[in-house]
Amino acid sequence: MTAAERAERTAAADDLCRAAYAKADCPQTGVSLVAVGGYGRGELAPFSDLDVVLVHDAAVEPGDWAAQVWYPLWDSGADVDHAVRTVEEVQQQASADLRVALGMLDCRHLAGDPGVTLRLRSAVSTQWRRDARLRLGELRQLVAERRARHPELAHASVPDLKQSTGGLRDATLLKALVASWLVDVPHGDLERSRQGLLDVRDALHTVAGRATDRIVPEYWPDLADVLGLPGGEAAQRHLRVLARRLAHLASLAWQRAEAAQRRPAPSGGRRPRLETVAPGVAISFEEVVLDRGAAIAGDPLLLLRCAAEAAERGLVLAPPTASRLVREGARLPEPWPHEARDLLVRLLASGPGLRSVWETLEETGALDLVLPEWERVRLLPHASEIHRFTVDRHMIETCVEAAGLIRRVARPDVLAVSALLHDIGKGGLTEHCVAGEPVAREVAARIGFDAREVDLVGTLVRWHLLLPETATTRDPEDPATVAVVAERLHDREELELLAALTEADARATSEKAWTRWRASLVADLVRRAAAVLSDDPVADDEVEQVTPEIVVPAAVAADPREVAVSVEDHPDGARVTVVSGDRLGLLADAAAMLALQRVSVRAARAWPQDRYGVSVWDVVEHDLDAVLLRQRLEAIVEGRLDVASRLRLGPALRLAPSVAVRPEVSESATVLEVRSDDRPALIHVVCRALAGAEVSVRSAHVSTLGPQAVDVFYVQEAWAGVLSEERAAEAAHVVRAALERTFGTTPD
């Protein structure tokens, strides 16, 4: 089945239509017969309909000849969709019905007055380009409704060649978007994918012996024979590769078209405006690209940094940028440095933005550099019909689901990586949980996890089916049921991670896989297992640890109103120490100093020492200028610099922040645990909110786990001790409100 055969079928149909038109003795001028839709594009499959319209000028009144055109076509046995319209009526229908407009964009002259066809094509094209911006939302809604009914062609268990995402409908819409002049699409890639899908449809009609677009499982071996492929699995992979490429093109085109709508009119001759968002990374026209002067050959983190920024912001990772980094970029050392792993986790935990960015990484070959093990599961069909997607897409959907659960676990980084790798063992002869564990451990070690973290990832992959299988097949009241779980897990940390992974995995599988009944069974099993695995309660103030004694600089000792900043470089960053007289708001000012300098904080500690306040900040950057930092801090302290107006806050929070009071942790202070998307100004906002409530931060323990900041603040009344329950609740509310007010949250 080839384009040449489609051309032959189209030519035969054209001859039939022309003969019918000639036999009807139509007027010589003012009337033409045109092919529209797939027939207009010359894409007839063996059992396709003939979509034709008899178009006439308003001055030409249709007579008996208008009806006579169709009889020879019906007598031939062809399935014909036909209509008689004036040029103006076609325009009116196209304006009222988007489907008509799309079909008429492909109108092609068959017989009669070519001038009428020319006017029709010109009128339809002009109307489409003129109204495209206004109709883009309507077109997007049409696509959304179709996609809600049909799964993605590349990942569906029973693909629909026309309606599925990445199918022939999307190919037609891409051509329509290009015709609108809003965006362009790589023509060669589009045509290769489109022609490949048409070949599969032709083969499907041949195998089925009728017009159909759905490929049921029993058709695959015969399709392979017609397409000249070695077997049913090869035929599936062939189709899915084509569909994935076309779906990727469609996704990029839609994002670019919508960005074009929001873009102001060009002022002429200006270079694209770049907004720097991270080292070497910028945004241009709502796409993540390389910044001017980016160290392509010297920065092995650049690819991951671009990907994470694009996914978190819901933007396009520009394919030329990814392709260039594949060709010219520096390679990551093994094991990966901490920042590389953190960027990968940020990418995996970015939520829905992960999908399109991951597609770009796959299509450009960048994924082979980051995760070569992905080839094991690429476009691999699931054996179970309950799965909506292929194995690789299911793993990405599990990451998307897990991203919404990271507030529940202490190690969101481990959860994100385990979600990505949980089915990596599929496709072999060994049980996939068993086969996947050593692969997952190898990947976890390569990306820089320590031995305990590697063990966590391996355990989660090995036992990711443990909870649902045990909960649904055993008596929950039987102590042996809980023992099955407790014997395989070490502690509650593993249990809470496994519970989150179980839910994410099930939600990504299908609606049937995570019903209220199944969820309640798993929750009950987790509760019972948690009681068995419970550790001893944390000793009072254990988290605080012993604070070191800092030598107070002479200038601060002489005048506590002074501030001192020192910087000590380390192999993986630097340590910034801030000392001044102890006062409310000092920690907030120090955090603002670093945020304004766009310094990435990896961890921080703060504590009072006599009458002084000390904070130590471990940061990613090297070669920081202590004098410049001190000058910036002095300007903040003295009120010469408006922090709120200068902070760059980044995208809105994807998940609502969590602020919990932990009364069991300390008897001498009130402990607030803040979990939120990591943002440069996060610590400043929290500390400023507490200072505004006249709550003193006695010590702070800041850490970042992938995309999530987990910050613990030991707080007291400004001149007293532990906060009352009412004051603690008020402080938690003030912090939560400040975070939401400052950063905003992304609507669900």
Side-chain angles (χ1 to χ4, degrees):
M1 298 296 170
T2 64
E5 292 174 290
R6 285 190 290 279
E8 290 177 6
R9 282 192 293 271
T10 300
D14 288 354
D15 290 342
L16 181 65
C17 289
R18 288 172 183 140
Y21 185 87
K23 189 175 181 179
D25 195 24
C26 297
Q28 296 295 312
T29 60
V31 181
S32 71
L33 185 65
V34 299
V36 300
Y39 181 27
R41 293 189 296 274
E43 298 172 356
L44 289 181
F47 292 93
S48 288
D49 295 343
L50 301 184
D51 294 330
V52 290
V53 180
L54 192 63
V55 184
H56 62 94
D57 286 337
V60 178
E61 189 70 25
D64 292 342
W65 50 267
Q68 295 299 321
V69 172
W70 315 124
Y71 290 112
L73 300 180
W74 293 332
D75 291 342
S76 72
D79 291 325
V80 183
D81 284 339
H82 61 87
V84 181
R85 300 284 186 271
T86 65
V87 173
E88 292 74 17
E89 287 172 340
V90 170
Q91 286 184 272
Q92 291 170 3
Q93 281 198 318
S95 180
D97 190 333
L98 196 56
R99 293 175 177 83
V100 173
L102 294 172
M104 295 307 300
L105 285 174
D106 295 305
C107 65
R108 180 172 58 85
H109 182 71
L110 291 174
D113 186 350
V116 174
T117 303
L118 184 62
R119 289 197 302 276
L120 175 66
R121 287 180 59 87
S122 176
V124 168
S125 298
T126 300
Q127 179 176 276
W128 178 249
R129 288 194 295 269
R130 184 192 65 215
D131 298 341
R133 287 181 179 271
L134 298 176
R135 306 197 73 174
L136 195 63
E138 182 185 357
L139 187 60
R140 194 71 166 108
Q141 181 62 30
L142 195 67
V143 173
E145 292 172 357
R146 176 168 53 83
R147 292 184 175 183
R149 296 191 302 269
H150 302 279
E152 291 186 50
L153 181 56
H155 306 286
S157 56
V158 181
D160 186 308
L161 292 174
K162 179 180 285 187
Q163 303 294 350
S164 291
T165 301
L168 290 169
R169 285 278 189 223
D170 273 347
T172 302
L173 289 177
L174 281 177
K175 291 171 68 70
L177 283 176
V178 172
S180 73
W181 293 359
L182 288 176
V183 294
D184 198 6
V185 175
H187 180 75
D189 285 348
L190 172 58
E191 278 306 296
R192 280 190 294 273
S193 299
R194 197 169 66 87
Q195 293 298 328
L197 290 182
L198 290 171
D199 290 345
V200 175
R201 187 181 67 174
D202 289 356
L204 177 60
H205 280 205
T206 300
V207 169
R210 60 185 176 86
T212 182
D213 294 306
R214 297 180 75 249
I215 306 178
V216 293
E218 56 266 27
Y219 284 164
W220 287 114
D222 292 335
L223 279 176
D225 289 341
V226 176
L227 293 169
L229 297 170
E233 186 174 327
Q236 287 198 53
R237 183 172 290 272
H238 171 72
L239 171 63
R240 297 184 194 282
V241 167
L242 293 170
R244 185 183 64 191
R245 180 59 178 157
L246 205 149
H248 181 57
L249 292 174
S251 176
L252 289 176
W254 274 115
Q255 288 179 284
R256 287 169 172 170
E258 290 169 348
Q261 274 200 308
R262 295 187 289 268
R263 192 180 308 156
S267 55
R270 294 173 57 184
R271 298 176 68 183
R273 178 178 176 271
L274 295 180
E275 177 193 356
T276 301
V277 293
V281 183
I283 296 174
S284 175
F285 297 144
E286 300 190 26
E287 296 192 15
V288 169
V289 299
L290 293 173
D291 205 356
R292 294 189 181 95
I296 297 175
D299 186 355
L301 307 182
L302 198 48
L303 174 63
L304 286 172
R305 196 178 298 122
C306 288
E309 290 290 341
E312 288 182 337
R313 296 169 185 272
L315 300 178
V316 172
L317 171 59
T321 292
S323 296
R324 185 179 178 190
L325 288 169
V326 170
R327 295 192 311 270
E328 306 173 22
R331 300 297 182 251
L332 283 163
E334 295 185 13
W336 290 9
H338 178 279
E339 188 181 357
R341 184 178 72 252
D342 188 58
L343 288 168
L344 174 65
V345 173
R346 282 177 51 194
L347 170 64
L348 299 179
S350 59
L354 171 65
R355 296 187 184 104
S356 65
V357 172
W358 197 265
E359 288 175 357
T360 298
L361 294 176
E362 283 205 85
E363 291 297 319
T364 58
L367 194 56
D368 296 336
L369 302 179
V370 176
L371 188 63
E373 292 83 0
W374 197 251
E375 187 59 35
R376 301 165 58 101
V377 295
R378 195 188 304 272
L379 295 175
L380 180 68
H382 264 113
S384 169
E385 292 186 2
I386 194 174
H387 279 274
R388 294 177 292 175
F389 304 111
T390 52
V391 174
D392 57 343
R393 179 56 186 272
H394 167 73
M395 292 158 76
I396 294 303
E397 290 298 321
T398 303
C399 289
V400 173
E401 295 291 346
L405 306 176
I406 62 175
R407 296 287 185 270
R408 299 186 189 178
V409 300
R411 294 303 304 267
D413 51 346
V414 171
L415 175 62
V417 172
S418 300
L420 178 70
L421 300 175
H422 76 283
D423 275 351
I424 198 68
K426 286 195 170 180
L429 299 177
T430 308
E431 181 188 353
H432 79 277
C433 296
V434 176
E437 180 183 3
V439 180
R441 287 178 177 274
E442 182 179 346
V443 173
R446 186 175 73 242
I447 67 175
F449 276 136
D450 63 25
R452 166 59 178 155
E453 294 159 341
V454 168
D455 191 53
L456 272 175
V457 172
T459 299
L460 292 175
V461 171
R462 173 64 183 88
W463 298 112
H464 71 270
L465 297 180
L466 174 65
L467 294 180
E469 288 181 348
T470 305
T472 56
T473 60
R474 290 175 175 262
D475 179 4
E477 301 294 336
D478 187 345
T481 299
V482 175
V484 169
V485 176
E487 288 170 0
R488 288 162 174 77
L489 303 179
H490 297 92
D491 50 39
R492 290 189 64 172
E493 181 180 49
E494 288 184 356
L495 179 64
E496 73 172 13
L497 284 166
L498 189 60
L501 178 59
T502 297
E503 180 174 343
D505 183 17
R507 288 184 180 278
T509 299
S510 69
E511 293 181 0
K512 297 178 180 179
W514 192 249
T515 61
R516 292 179 61 182
W517 169 77
R518 186 178 293 264
S520 66
L521 291 179
V522 170
D524 183 59
L525 177 60
V526 169
R527 178 180 58 81
R528 294 171 184 272
V532 174
L533 294 169
S534 291
D535 301 320
D536 292 332
V538 178
D540 177 52
D541 289 351
E542 182 181 333
V543 179
E544 286 196 83
Q545 306 170 0
V546 177
T547 57
E549 189 76 15
I550 297 294
V551 177
V552 178
V556 177
D559 185 354
R561 292 173 298 179
E562 293 289 329
V563 292
V565 179
S566 61
V567 177
E568 179 184 358
D569 272 337
H570 292 279
D572 59 347
R575 174 164 292 175
V576 179
T577 302
V578 177
V579 183
S580 185
D582 193 21
R583 59 175 175 79
L584 279 174
L586 175 61
L587 193 61
D589 291 342
M593 168 194 72
L594 295 172
L596 290 173
Q597 292 299 112
R598 301 183 65 186
V599 173
S600 303
V601 177
R602 183 173 290 150
R605 301 267 332 273
W607 64 90
Q609 181 174 305
D610 297 328
R611 58 187 181 131
Y612 306 105
V614 179
S615 60
V616 175
W617 309 76
D618 289 321
V619 302
V620 172
E621 288 74 11
H622 294 271
D623 301 322
L624 295 174
D625 187 335
V627 174
L628 179 62
L629 290 175
R630 181 176 56 80
Q631 291 173 347
R632 179 60 58 90
L633 181 55
E634 288 176 342
I636 294 170
V637 172
E638 295 169 8
R640 293 184 283 108
L641 195 155
D642 183 4
V643 175
S645 65
R646 298 283 296 276
L647 285 175
R648 302 182 66 173
L649 302 176
L653 300 177
R654 194 179 53 80
L655 296 176
S658 167
V659 184
V661 180
R662 299 287 301 277
E664 78 280 4
V665 174
S666 176
E667 294 181 357
S668 58
T670 299
V671 176
L672 297 182
E673 181 185 78
V674 179
R675 295 188 178 210
S676 174
D677 296 355
D678 189 26
R679 291 293 181 270
L682 180 70
I683 305 169
H684 165 72
V685 172
V686 172
C687 293
R688 176 56 61 194
L690 290 171
E694 296 188 348
V695 173
S696 173
V697 179
R698 194 182 95 190
S699 77
H701 308 265
V702 178
S703 62
T704 302
L705 296 171
Q708 176 170 265
V710 183
D711 301 344
V712 178
F713 299 87
Y714 284 70
V715 300
Q716 296 176 324
E717 295 289 3
W719 314 114
V722 177
L723 275 61
S724 66
E725 287 189 14
E726 182 179 351
R727 280 281 283 160
E730 177 189 344
H733 173 74
V734 165
V735 170
R736 188 183 303 108
L739 291 171
E740 293 180 344
R741 182 174 60 252
T742 303
F743 297 106
T745 56
T746 303
D748 292 336

